[in-house]
Amino acid sequence: PGDLDCKDSSELVTIRVFDKAGNMTETTDDINFDETPPSGDLAIAGNVAGYDNDGIVALTANCYDNGYAGYNSGCAKVEYSNDNATWDVSETWTANPVTTQSSWGLDTTAQGERTVYIRVTDLAGNVNDVAVNPISNTIFYDADIPTGSVVINGDEAQTNSVTVTVDVDCTDGGVTTEDSGCALVEYSINDGATWDAATASTITDGSYTDLKTVVIDPAATPVDGDKQLWIRLTDQAGNTNTYTDKILYDANAPTVTFSINDAADLYTNVVGVTLNISCDDGGSGCDYAMVSNDGFATAGSGPYDLSAQDPLVGAYAIAPPWDLAANDGNKVVTIRVFDKAGNMTDTTDDINFDET
């Protein structure tokens, strides 16, 4: 066999043949000589840019066979591998040296950065050196869902406003080499049927107090009762988890009846009188009362606990007896009653004080 020139080129070989009488014939043939390995690059697309959570990715491979002075044979095939040693899914290139694998399975034996390799071969049989110059790309694989919690209004049991604050906690494992980390929290007020992307909060792993203010019932006239809020936590890899909390909404003030000395007397000559309060609240429940002799122009007295008061059993009598304001005259006492949601009712009664 003869040797061609040592550089990539189109090689022409001439044969001159003689017979025994000295007659000669010349003939030629040519071949493209290509000993330069092709190169390439690889793109990996998971379910989120830079991340994957199901172990199945899309690969896009490019091959470049740029030999000396343009004498390249052209790309022939590409092979894929997760370990740069075992090759699978050989594909033949046509005129355009770009190919894709829409469902390549990553090595999911561990979470974290996963590498995919390609090996490219040209029509002359040259193969890129996978040991010295491997062609590869990486993607972060994370299949674990984030964990967390949601708390409305600092864990209060009731509210008289449909606008609440939300505390959120999110943890995505905490191992940066294996876990992608918390990325987003979204909110829903209809049991997760829809999520409001406009109010979503960008987060990382951690605890967030008063992260968001949310209207838990946008109705023009919200109905009293339990209001539930859902959150959806998403990590960088697109894994999601949901949590919920509820709060009792009560916008109706308590019903209060109040009397001085059981409403039996129009007059009294004793400064200390009995105040009887009956409170009924079908929402959050009665909480406490304040008492004033001047209509709360100044701070009243109290609080007097009404949380255990049952209007079906009987009125609550403030003890010790309440002292009216000094000097003879008509005395007005104001009772201000709050329910547990903060709704307030004022009511008054009066009696004539005469000690002269």
Side-chain angles (χ1 to χ4, degrees), residues 153-176:
N153 278 4
D155 209 23
E156 291 182 356
Q158 55 276 315
T159 181
N160 62 3
S161 171
V162 292
T163 301
V164 298
T165 59
V166 182
D167 301 344
V168 173
D169 183 82
C170 184
T171 303
D172 193 45
V175 181
T176 57

Side-chain angles (χ1 to χ4, degrees), residues 41-62 78 80-82 89 91 98-107 114-118 136-141:
D41 58 49
L42 175 67
I44 307 176
N47 55 292
V48 179
Y51 298 91
D52 180 70
N53 64 13
D54 63 4
I56 304 298
V57 296
L59 306 179
T60 300
N62 289 280
V78 59
Y80 303 89
S81 174
N82 283 327
V89 190
E91 291 187 323
V98 179
T99 188
T100 60
Q101 275 291 316
S102 60
S103 58
W104 177 260
L106 298 172
D107 176 8
R114 304 284 88 189
T115 303
V116 181
Y117 304 83
I118 62 170
S136 65
N137 206 339
T138 60
I139 192 168
F140 198 99
Y141 170 65

Side-chain angles (χ1 to χ4, degrees), residues 59-79:
L59 306 179
T60 300
N62 289 280
C63 177
Y64 313 102
D65 190 40
N66 302 318
Y68 176 78
Y71 291 100
N72 53 292
S73 57
C75 296
K77 70 176 182 179
V78 59
E79 300 162 282

Side-chain angles (χ1 to χ4, degrees), residues 83-85 87 117-119 127-135:
D83 59 7
N84 205 30
W87 301 94
Y117 304 83
I118 62 170
R119 182 169 66 181
V127 182
N128 70 290
D129 192 329
V130 298
V132 177
N133 295 304
I135 304 170

Side-chain angles (χ1 to χ4, degrees), residues 20 26 39 68 74 99 124 126 131 137 142 162 172 184 192 194 246 263 296 300 304 318 320 335:
K20 294 179 179 179
E26 276 189 4
S39 60
Y68 176 78
T99 188
N126 300 300
N137 206 339
D142 173 12
V162 292
D172 193 45
L184 188 72
T194 57
K246 66 180 180 180
F296 291 97
Y304 298 95
I318 289 181
I335 299 292

Side-chain angles (χ1 to χ4, degrees), residues 56-270:
I56 304 298
V57 296
L59 306 179
T60 300
N62 289 280
C63 177
Y64 313 102
D65 190 40
N66 302 318
Y68 176 78
Y71 291 100
N72 53 292
S73 57
C75 296
K77 70 176 182 179
V78 59
E79 300 162 282
Y80 303 89
S81 174
N82 283 327
D83 59 7
N84 205 30
T86 304
W87 301 94
D88 194 11
V89 190
S90 176
E91 291 187 323
T92 301
W93 263 300
T94 55
N96 184 17
V98 179
T99 188
T100 60
Q101 275 291 316
S102 60
S103 58
W104 177 260
L106 298 172
D107 176 8
T108 57
T109 56
Q111 293 201 148
E113 194 172 82
R114 304 284 88 189
T115 303
V116 181
Y117 304 83
I118 62 170
R119 182 169 66 181
V120 290
T121 304
D122 65 15
L123 291 168
N126 300 300
V127 182
N128 70 290
D129 192 329
V130 298
V132 177
N133 295 304
I135 304 170
S136 65
N137 206 339
T138 60
I139 192 168
F140 198 99
Y141 170 65
D142 173 12
D144 289 344
I145 61 174
T147 59
S149 63
V150 57
V151 174
I152 300 174
N153 278 4
D155 209 23
E156 291 182 356
Q158 55 276 315
T159 181
N160 62 3
S161 171
V162 292
T163 301
V164 298
T165 59
V166 182
D167 301 344
V168 173
D169 183 82
C170 184
T171 303
D172 193 45
V175 181
T176 57
T177 57
E178 298 177 4
D179 305 299
S180 58
C182 296
L184 188 72
V185 56
E186 300 163 280
Y187 310 91
S188 174
I189 57 174
N190 57 4
D191 296 328
T194 57
W195 301 91
D196 190 356
T199 63
S201 304
T202 301
I203 59 171
T204 57
D205 285 30
S207 298
Y208 299 85
T209 301
D210 296 344
L211 175 65
K212 180 68 68 173
T213 299
V214 177
V215 177
I216 53 176
D217 189 339
T221 307
V223 177
D224 283 5
D226 283 338
K227 304 297 179 182
Q228 197 158 22
L229 175 71
W230 290 79
I231 64 166
R232 180 168 66 184
L233 302 173
T234 304
D235 66 13
Q236 299 280 0
N239 301 296
T240 63
N241 204 355
T242 57
Y243 293 89
T244 186
D245 193 20
K246 66 180 180 180
I247 193 168
L248 176 63
Y249 171 67
D250 175 12
N252 291 309
T255 300
V256 178
T257 57
F258 161 56
S259 65
I260 300 174
N261 286 351
D262 287 329
D265 301 323
L266 294 177
Y267 298 90
T268 183
N269 60 1
V270 179

